[in-house]
Amino acid sequence: MTPEQEDLILSLVTYPGRDPEGTPEQVLRHFNAKDGHTLGLDLLRDALHQRGSVAVEMALIVGFTFGITSDYLEELVELCSADWHHKHEDVVSAIGKLHTSDAVDALYQATQWVPGYLEFDDSRALATKAVWALGKTPGPEAQQALVRLLTSGDEIVRSAAMEQIARRKE
């Protein structure tokens, strides 16, 4: 991915107090793509193949802009435990939007692992996002994963699991 392409994709991002500078149509035109969904998935596959940390970020921006669907699941699950990028929270958030029991194991593992670049994070944002995603995932697999988290040695994870179990009962 060229710096020009990165700049174009970053122009889609909304910042507080400022509208995006670019448009989805500009991105599609630049990449000569008819479908943003397919473009995002292709970029994500390329990022995985190249193990490109910045490329993962760019692919996720395109994916979130045009919509992440179950077509992305295999790549997102692989990225969930990959130690060569820094977008794990975004990956977990994307998986969480899919509400699929096929991602329960990946989400559970995200509650157990702290990537090196997140070791400073005492709030355990990655684990918490994974617990929330499990809470929104229907089915017994997600419920069982939440119950397992009640025995976690981490108070933040335990508490988040309790909240999600209670929310699921409502």
Side-chain angles (χ1 to χ4, degrees):
M1 182 168 299
T2 68
E4 178 185 76
Q5 291 170 326
E6 289 176 16
D7 287 344
L8 181 60
I9 291 170
L10 287 171
S11 76
L12 297 172
V13 177
T14 303
Y15 296 97
R18 190 175 75 171
D19 291 330
E21 295 173 1
T23 66
E25 293 76 23
Q26 289 172 322
V27 171
L28 290 175
R29 218 174 12 260
H30 179 84
F31 283 92
N32 197 27
K34 295 179 191 218
D35 172 17
H37 169 77
T38 301
L39 174 61
L41 186 55
D42 288 345
L43 291 173
L44 196 60
R45 288 176 175 155
D46 287 347
L48 268 164
H49 178 73
Q50 297 172 8
R51 294 175 56 108
S53 183
V54 172
V56 168
E57 179 179 6
M58 299 301 115
L60 289 170
I61 291 169
V62 172
F64 282 125
T65 298
F66 291 99
I68 291 177
T69 67
S70 61
D71 296 339
Y72 283 67
L73 183 60
E74 182 180 338
E75 289 76 13
L76 291 170
V77 165
E78 187 174 341
L79 283 169
C80 202
S81 61
D83 62 0
W84 48 265
H85 70 89
H86 294 165
K87 300 309 287 180
H88 294 90
E89 289 180 42
D90 290 341
V91 168
V92 164
S93 293
I95 291 172
K97 291 179 183 294
L98 299 176
H99 307 288
T100 176
S101 61
D102 293 335
V104 167
D105 289 340
L107 292 171
Y108 180 83
Q109 289 307 316
T111 70
Q112 305 299 298
W113 176 57
V114 179
Y117 73 95
L118 290 177
E119 287 178 353
F120 74 92
D121 182 12
D122 294 335
S123 68
R124 297 291 315 275
L126 174 60
T128 301
K129 286 179 182 182
V131 173
W132 291 343
L134 285 167
K136 293 177 183 175
T137 301
E141 298 90 349
Q143 182 70 22
Q144 290 166 0
L146 289 167
V147 169
R148 280 188 299 176
L149 291 173
L150 294 176
T151 63
S152 173
D154 186 305
E155 174 59 32
I156 293 170
V157 172
R158 248 189 348 267
S159 176
M162 280 189 260
E163 289 174 23
Q164 290 305 310
I165 289 170
R167 189 193 59 73
R168 288 168 71 99
K169 289 180 182 177
E170 295 175 354

